[in-house]
């Protein structure tokens, strides 16, 4: 890779672009306002020191972003560089520049994935926006997550195990065909030579179970051969063989020497369970009524009224990662970009006592979101946990009837979180007439409490009190705007469908999506385009004010 010049736009390109676009276009306006967004030097580490000179990586990065802005395929993006005047203007190319072959884009994406350099593209947009005064990060930010479907289609159970075995046989056939011919059973060529979707599985449940067990026996036979001591070196290290092993471990086991399908309760947890052999990073998850196989993306944006709302962080995880563990990772990413807000507004899935305290002490962020209520049976009623007075300095707790606790121990909860376990003396609780109203177990003879540590306990209590006020509820309305950002990402960039297989490539897609939305919003800001309002159908607008959406008064 040989870094090119200063990036000055050729005079003839400027003249033709001005004539062809007298009112400008997104690519032209962004170039005029932000200047060159990327330089070749920023991506020099992705290329070897020797070899054929590469096409400008700084320009390729901008092409990737413009590709997502307009929803183009690789072929269409390469053709736009070759034929469109506004693209040549944004890339500072001569009118006669032939561009590049479309395969260069996929190769460049692979380089970004291998070096985990996708964030550099989003960072380049943010740096340019900050220099122009378009990025304000010290005020408020908001975050929400949405599901992302895997690029591999959803498979039923029989298709999944059959395709797993078929893909392993295909790779083994390439690696060592002579060995596989000796190992393969004659029926394998009939059952696994074509895709599972090209054959018809039996409709009867018993027949389908028989087919599943037959596939299980064949896969077990292949694994035994691959893992045997006399098997050729290198076969067991093939990716599809490892996927086959994992898939068989989670679906089959040996019972008295016979292959049997595992009971659903005997299978690995969802965070470890493969859902397709063609995207081993994808996981199955459920959120309310939505079930999907794939990933999850967390979108963070600024939300100031006098500046464009720009995306400052995109975090991609597997589908089973809960929102409640993501706050620290998001804040770390914002800190690396120098985009930490004063207030961070999230929905109920994110804030926990530990996360709120960590955000405040480590990053100086006020993490705001509905704090989950205490759902324990012992937390409700006149003898709920809030009715007890806590003396933190003397490590004592007093119940509503004036009895003082006798034990104060530091322990860990079932989830491994540090807690304080407080217990009262049975001699004090047993004669109390309110014992049955105070304890949840019918056989318990004393009250016990599990408390968070002092800083977390006080944060939770203060947050729950504040969140009951009308002032806080009115301030919390700011968070709803991030739903529009997700909607824009879905409609413009296909945010909820991965274009590629694997977590790393899906993460790169989301970094490019964030950069593309930022360019579109900067262009809307430059052209004074008003922000879209929430759409309401003509019929919904006729609904009387006293009616709720479900028709009840």
């Amino acid at each position: 890779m040989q870094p090119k010049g200063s990036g000055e736009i050729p005079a003839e390109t400027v003249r033709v672009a001005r004539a062809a676009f007298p009112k400008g276009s997104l690519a032209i306006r962004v170039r005029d306002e932000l200047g060159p967004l990327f330089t070749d030097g920023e991506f020099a580490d992705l290329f070897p020191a020797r070899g054929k000179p590469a096409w400008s990586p700084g320009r390729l990065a901008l092409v990737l972003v413009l590709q997502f802005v307009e929803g183009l395929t690789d072929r269409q993006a390469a053709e736009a560089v070759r034929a469109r005047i506004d693209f040549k203007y944004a890339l500072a190319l001569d009118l006669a520049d032939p561009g590049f072959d479309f395969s260069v884009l996929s190769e460049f994406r692979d380089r970004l994935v291998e070096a985990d350099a996708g964030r550099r593209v989003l960072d380049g947009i943010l740096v340019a926006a900050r220099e122009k005064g378009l990025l304000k990060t010290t005020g408020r930010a908001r975050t929400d997550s949405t599901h992302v479907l895997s690029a591999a289609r959803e498979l039923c159970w029989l298709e999944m195990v059959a395709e797993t075995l078929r893909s392993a046989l295909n790779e083994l056939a390439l690696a060592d065909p002579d060995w596989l011919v000796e190992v393969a059973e004659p029926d394998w060529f009939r059952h696994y030579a074509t895709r599972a979707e090209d054959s018809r599985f039996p409709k009867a449940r018993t027949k389908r179970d028989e087919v599943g067990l037959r596939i299980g026996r064949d896969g077990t036979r292949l694994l035994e051969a691959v893992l045997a001591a006399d098997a050729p070196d290198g076969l067991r290290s093939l990716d599809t063989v490892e996927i086959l092993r994992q898939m068989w471990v989670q679906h089959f086991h040996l019972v008295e020497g016979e292959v049997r399908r595992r009971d659903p309760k005997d299978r690995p947890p969802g965070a470890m369970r493969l859902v397709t052999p063609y995207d081993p990073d994808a996981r199955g998850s459920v959120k309310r009524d939505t079930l999907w196989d794939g990933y999850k993306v967390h979108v963070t944006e600024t939300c100031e009224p006098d500046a464009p709302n720009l995306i400052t962080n995109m975090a991609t995880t597997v589908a089973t990662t809960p929102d409640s563990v993501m706050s620290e990772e998001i804040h770390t990413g914002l800190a690396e970009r120098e985009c930490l807000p004063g207030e961070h507004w999230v929905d109920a899935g994110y804030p926990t006592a530990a996360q709120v305290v960590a955000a405040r002490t480590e990053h100086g962020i006020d993490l705001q979101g509905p704090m989950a209520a205490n759902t324990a049976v012992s937390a409700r009623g006149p003898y709920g946990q809030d009715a007890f007075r806590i003396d933190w300095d003397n490590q004592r707790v007093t119940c509503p009837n004036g009895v003082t606790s006798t034990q104060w121990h530091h322990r860990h909860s079932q989830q491994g979180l540090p807690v304080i376990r407080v217990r009262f003396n049975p001699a004090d609780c047993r004669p109390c007439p309110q014992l049955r109203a105070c304890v949840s177990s019918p056989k318990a003879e004393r009250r016990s409490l599990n408390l968070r540590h002092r800083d977390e306990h006080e944060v939770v209590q203060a947050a729950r009190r504040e969140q009951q006020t009308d002032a806080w509820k009115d301030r919390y309305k700011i968070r709803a705007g991030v739903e529009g950002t997700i909607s824009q990402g879905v409609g413009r960039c296909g945010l909820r469908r991965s274009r590629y297989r694997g977590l790393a490539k899906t993460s790169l897609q989301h970094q490019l999506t964030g950069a593309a939305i930022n360019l579109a919003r900067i262009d809307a800001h430059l052209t004074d385009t008003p922000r879209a309002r929430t759409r309401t159908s003509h019929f919904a607008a006729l609904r009387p004010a006293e009616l709720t959406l479900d028709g009840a008064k």
Side-chain angles (χ1 to χ4, degrees), residues 271-399:
M272 301 173 58
R273 195 180 308 151
L274 301 179
V275 294
T276 174
Y278 299 115
D279 193 352
D281 293 336
R283 294 294 181 269
S285 188
V286 57
K287 184 176 182 180
R288 292 188 288 274
D289 296 332
T290 303
L291 293 86
W292 78 99
D293 294 340
Y295 307 94
K296 187 187 292 186
V297 60
H298 303 260
V299 182
T300 303
E301 67 172 359
T302 60
C303 48
E304 295 302 315
D306 56 344
N309 294 338
L310 300 183
I311 294 175
T312 52
N313 193 75
M314 299 285 282
T316 309
T317 67
V318 296
T320 53
T321 302
D323 294 350
S324 58
V325 303
M326 288 302 299
S327 296
E328 176 58 29
E329 179 178 335
I330 293 171
H331 292 158
T332 300
L334 292 173
E336 292 173 353
R337 290 185 166 112
E338 298 181 357
C339 292
L340 286 174
E343 294 180 353
H344 189 187
W345 293 87
V346 295
D347 67 11
Y350 289 90
T352 64
Q355 297 279 14
V356 172
V357 172
R360 185 173 300 170
T361 57
E362 298 178 13
H363 301 288
I365 297 176
D366 188 10
L367 183 61
Q368 293 279 1
M371 192 67 66
N374 193 339
T375 58
V377 176
S378 59
R380 299 192 293 266
Y383 293 92
Q385 191 176 103
D386 295 342
F388 288 71
R389 299 192 305 275
I390 304 173
D391 186 350
W392 297 98
D393 296 329
N394 297 313
Q395 298 186 351
R396 288 197 302 265
V397 176
T398 304
C399 81

Side-chain angles (χ1 to χ4, degrees), residues 56-98:
S56 167
R59 287 169 172 157
L60 285 176
L62 181 56
V63 172
L64 287 179
V65 178
L66 293 175
Q67 176 186 14
F68 274 72
V69 169
E70 300 196 7
L72 305 177
T73 65
D74 286 355
R75 289 179 183 271
Q76 291 170 335
E79 184 65 21
V81 173
R82 185 178 303 110
R84 286 178 51 174
I85 301 301
D86 57 337
F87 269 53
K88 290 184 180 293
Y89 185 96
L91 298 169
L93 295 175
D94 291 325
L95 294 179
D97 194 295

